[in-house]
Amino acid sequence: MKTITLTVYNRPEYTSKVLESLQTNNTIGYKLLIAAEPGCDQTIKVCQKIDFMPFELVLNPFCRGVNCNNKHIYDLVFDRGSELNVAIEDDTPLSPDALDLVEWFHSLPNRDDYLLLNLFNGSKSTDRPLELFEYDAFCPWGFCFSRQAYENRIKPYWMCDARGWDWSICEVMRNNGLKSLSPFLSRTQNIGKYGGVYCTPDYYEHCFSGHVSSDGSFGKKFSLIPSLIKSE
């Protein structure tokens, strides 16, 4: 079983855009599980209208927050037998070929050499649209990972860095010499300019201005460039 997890809270407009983007992908063989924080009926109504793929709406009995909501839903999908999970949030719409890239990663013979596949890159050019590179860090705006990677490398060290769960995964990678894969051309966007926990409008403009992502027209013949690009 393969799954997609989506964490949502109080941004129904963003959630709608993410679900619309997911509908442009080939979701056959995937189940969507949505981890919804309480307190925003509009977001719940948006999720309840899904009719294009199997889904389950997991309503949290209390507000778990950004560092616990993700872990709770990852625990749930892998406990239920998922072998591969695609993790997105309410502000990370997918490009139309994002799941094509996930399928390529899932079938990669040496997939387990990498902790995960990042779907986001801060691309400002459409050059090298089908190439990926090895990376020594992690980007939280859309990624996929196997049950083995989660159980052995991610879950035991969740929040080992008090700054957040995403910082913690980067810490695990640094401490253990682990690598991820990233596309040169992003397969997700970040649209969360407003209403985020950490992202202010000024920060958004600084980090995401001019960002481009795939339009799905480049094909499916992905290839790996075997060179490690280090984070700054």
Side-chain angles (χ1 to χ4, degrees), residues 30-232:
Y30 289 87
K31 181 177 180 179
L32 172 65
L33 285 92
I34 305 171
E37 299 278 46
C40 186
D41 292 342
Q42 285 180 294
T43 299
I44 301 303
K45 290 177 181 178
V46 167
C47 296
Q48 288 173 333
K49 293 179 181 179
I50 296 171
D51 60 3
F52 60 90
M53 69 179 300
F55 81 98
E56 179 179 346
L57 184 58
V58 180
L59 298 172
N60 293 336
F62 56 89
C63 193
R64 299 183 186 277
V66 294
N67 288 318
C68 295
N69 195 21
N70 293 27
K71 181 179 182 298
H72 178 259
I73 199 66
Y74 303 157
D75 286 346
L76 182 63
V77 295
F78 288 121
D79 285 347
R80 291 185 180 180
S82 177
E83 293 298 325
L84 186 79
N85 185 62
V86 181
I88 53 177
E89 300 185 6
D90 66 353
D91 58 359
T92 51
L94 298 165
S95 68
D97 56 352
L99 292 186
D100 292 332
L101 180 57
V102 170
E103 289 298 307
W104 173 85
F105 178 69
H106 184 51
S107 300
L108 192 66
N110 62 331
R111 182 193 69 193
D112 292 337
D113 290 348
Y114 304 98
L115 181 65
L116 51 85
L117 167 68
N118 299 298
L119 294 173
F120 182 85
N121 188 1
S123 317
K124 295 188 177 180
S125 167
T126 57
D127 292 345
R128 307 174 77 171
L130 295 174
E131 295 180 1
L132 293 92
F133 59 91
E134 296 178 344
Y135 196 39
D136 68 345
F138 157 75
C139 181
W141 297 299
F143 60 103
C144 74
F145 51 106
S146 68
R147 177 212 294 266
Q148 177 182 342
Y150 181 69
E151 295 289 348
N152 296 337
R153 294 291 193 177
I154 299 174
K155 182 177 179 179
Y157 307 102
W158 196 267
M159 291 302 296
C160 66
D161 187 319
R163 289 175 292 180
W165 66 274
D166 46 351
W167 289 92
S168 298
I169 294 178
C170 288
E171 182 72 11
V172 169
M173 294 184 71
R174 282 192 296 267
N175 290 342
N176 295 278
L178 300 176
K179 296 181 290 185
S180 65
L181 290 181
S182 291
F184 281 97
L185 178 60
S186 187
R187 260 60 185 189
T188 61
Q189 302 174 47
N190 185 318
I191 58 173
K193 185 174 182 178
Y194 302 105
V197 176
Y198 298 111
C199 184
T200 65
D202 286 344
Y203 179 85
Y204 183 90
E205 288 296 331
H206 175 72
C207 292
F208 302 108
S209 178
H211 173 253
V212 297
S213 61
S214 175
D215 63 4
S217 65
F218 299 101
K220 302 180 182 180
K221 294 184 179 181
F222 302 102
S223 60
L224 173 62
I225 304 302
S227 60
L228 178 63
I229 297 181
K230 294 190 175 183
S231 58
E232 295 181 356

